[in-house]
Amino acid sequence: MPHADARKTDRFIQLLLANATVFVSGEKLAETLRVSRMTICNWVHRLQREGMAIEVKPQIGYRLTQVPDLLLPQLIKHELRSKIFGKNIHHYFQVTSTNDVAHELAQEGAAEGTLVLAEEQTAGRGRLGRSWFSERNNGIYLSLILRPPVRPLHAPVFNLAAAVAVSRAIEQTCEISADIKWPNDVLIKGKKCCGVLTEMNTDLDRIKYLVVGIGINVNHSVFPKSLEQQASSLFLEGGRRFSRIELILALLSHFEEIYFEARQKGRDSILEQWTQRSSFSNGKEVSVDLGERQVRGTTCGLGREGTLRVKLPSGQIEEIVAGDVVCWE
Ligand code: BT5
């Protein structure tokens, strides 16, 4: 869906929400949104297909009969606990990847803290061109635009900050304890429930912007065969469905706190929290796939820029900048 159209649909939902108990005439909606009545009619059909309960009374109009389980900005903004993160929200029913949309918005000058949310991604991605399974309405697929005034070299630390924020938000909202596998997989009982993909646009010596993409498996009840062994959801681990909105609100507030604390006190505050929260930070026997070779050893903390330090059997310490960690205990 093109952005302008998506924004208009959003305004349309906003109008329905604002008048939730009454019927609003198609004519009034069309006039306010400067579209034809036929467009309104098409939107209603599409939104009904998306699961929104909209009652239609011919000659009278439309009425929302239930608050939908959707990540609508109107529902989130109402409860927002953060000041900057999530102040501007762009919501979509379907996108290729929220990171794609966030890049476009950032290039158009979107402010720090701008949030992109989608109910479904058709080309959600992970690192190294891998894909991210993004089932409709059950997960959180979001991207946040950040503009930290630091050098590109420091970007990985914000990636770690996102994982810390997710694990804090899950523990607070769902009361499930969450581990972090380097660099930024959030695991519950050893299974991956969240992944973070941070992408950046830089000048030679300065970050222009970061797009922090976060995917959380919230209410998924099944996964494709290829993911079954390694992936899980909060629903599967916690035994009940969770409010995606509650989780997003908690995530934004924790992430904002961690981010601005690091800007005041320095990035070490992020490294300390990551180290405390991750069972992978120290003393874990791991093997790391670096693409061209494997490294096997014992973890011994993080380097200053968020690298993973692994002590090899020879006693030498290798600093891992990027790679996939597997535990072999
Ligand atoms: C990641 O990559 O874990 C980063 C995932 C980031 C997804 C978010 S969603 C919002 C934003 N928009 C995007 O397009 N992306 C971000 P990586 O460490 O490379 O892990 C990818 C691997 O995780 C895949 O190759 C699968 O093995 C596995 N995987 C795919 N989908 C999964 C899921 N839903 N849950 C758990 N594991 C999954």
Side-chain angles (χ1 to χ4, degrees):
M1 195 190 307
H3 294 176
D5 191 18
R7 267 177 218 153
K8 277 203 170 163
T9 325
D10 234 53
R11 270 278 290 143
F12 171 62
I13 298 167
Q14 210 167 345
L15 285 173
L16 289 178
L17 275 171
N19 300 281
T21 50
V22 294
F23 281 94
V24 191
S25 78
E27 192 180 343
K28 187 173 167 209
L29 288 165
E31 204 181 280
T32 314
L33 295 165
R34 297 192 184 166
V35 294
S36 68
R37 289 179 66 174
M38 183 51 86
T39 305
I40 296 285
C41 192
N42 289 338
W43 283 349
V44 168
H45 287 142
R46 194 174 68 209
L47 293 171
Q48 284 174 325
R49 281 198 304 277
E50 302 282 356
M52 280 188 70
I54 303 173
E55 190 181 347
V56 181
K57 263 208 175 148
Q59 317 299 331
I60 297 186
Y62 305 99
R63 184 171 74 121
L64 202 60
T65 55
Q66 240 177 42
V67 176
D69 179 21
L70 295 170
L71 307 177
L72 302 173
Q74 302 82 339
L75 300 176
I76 295 174
K77 279 193 176 164
H78 199 60
E79 307 276 340
L80 206 62
R81 293 164 218 149
S82 42
K83 292 198 178 71
I84 294 169
F85 286 18
K87 202 163 165 237
N88 297 310
I89 304 178
H90 298 257
H91 169 265
Y92 300 89
F93 284 96
Q94 190 187 68
V95 291
T96 49
S97 151
T98 53
N99 273 27
D100 291 343
V101 179
H103 277 289
E104 278 178 42
L105 292 169
Q107 272 155 21
E108 287 165 11
E112 171 150 88
T114 297
L115 177 67
V116 178
L117 288 169
E119 303 294 338
E120 180 182 13
Q121 299 185 113
T122 54
R125 59 174 180 268
R127 296 172 298 151
L128 306 168
R130 294 187 283 225
S131 65
W132 186 255
F133 173 66
S134 312
E135 189 182 48
R136 187 165 98 182
N137 293 8
N138 275 332
I140 292 175
Y141 315 111
L142 67 79
S143 298
L144 201 61
I145 298 172
L146 301 182
R147 298 183 182 277
V150 299
R151 288 188 288 148
L153 151 86
H154 304 313
V157 176
F158 297 102
N159 210 19
L160 301 181
V164 171
V166 171
S167 84
R168 275 170 51 168
I170 289 177
E171 290 189 2
Q172 184 193 29
T173 315
C174 314
E175 294 175 337
I176 301 176
S177 78
D179 194 6
I180 311 175
K181 186 175 83 152
W182 188 87
N184 48 27
D185 288 353
V186 178
L187 310 180
I188 296 174
K189 298 187 195 137
K191 287 191 160 187
K192 182 161 169 173
C193 290
C194 164
V196 183
L197 174 69
T198 299
E199 297 173 323
M200 64 175 161
N201 190 322
T202 66
D203 279 338
L204 219 56
D205 61 350
R206 189 184 66 93
I207 292 177
K208 278 195 197 154
Y209 67 81
L210 293 179
V211 166
V212 182
I214 301 176
I216 310 178
N217 303 328
V218 184
N219 291 320
H220 300 55
S221 52
V222 279
F223 284 91
K225 271 260 166 302
S226 60
L227 294 176
E228 252 173 25
Q229 297 299 315
Q230 68 195 83
S232 193
S233 70
L234 302 178
F235 168 74
L236 289 171
E237 299 306 325
R240 65 182 175 95
R241 289 176 67 83
F242 292 97
S243 156
R244 292 180 300 156
I245 290 188
E246 264 306 311
L247 205 53
I248 291 173
L249 291 168
L251 169 61
L252 292 174
S253 110
H254 283 294
F255 199 179
E256 182 175 280
E257 187 186 314
I258 297 165
Y259 180 71
F260 285 104
E261 187 180 277
R263 281 183 50 175
Q264 265 176 9
K265 297 190 189 159
R267 295 181 309 282
D268 284 356
S269 62
I270 296 176
L271 301 181
E272 275 161 27
Q273 291 199 52
W274 191 97
T275 306
Q276 268 174 20
R277 291 197 152 258
S278 170
S279 75
F280 284 76
S281 54
N282 276 295
K284 193 88 147 186
E285 306 287 323
V286 293
S287 126
V288 190
D289 183 356
L290 301 176
E292 78 285 3
R293 66 191 170 95
Q294 298 266 333
V295 168
R296 228 169 140 140
T298 311
T299 59
C300 53
L302 296 174
R304 282 235 53 207
E305 301 306 337
T307 50
L308 181 67
R309 289 159 50 85
V310 176
K311 191 168 185 184
L312 308 181
S314 64
Q316 189 195 338
I317 306 263
E318 173 131 7
E319 296 236 356
I320 314 286
V321 178
D324 287 310
V325 174
V326 181
C327 174
W328 53 275
E329 274 175 317

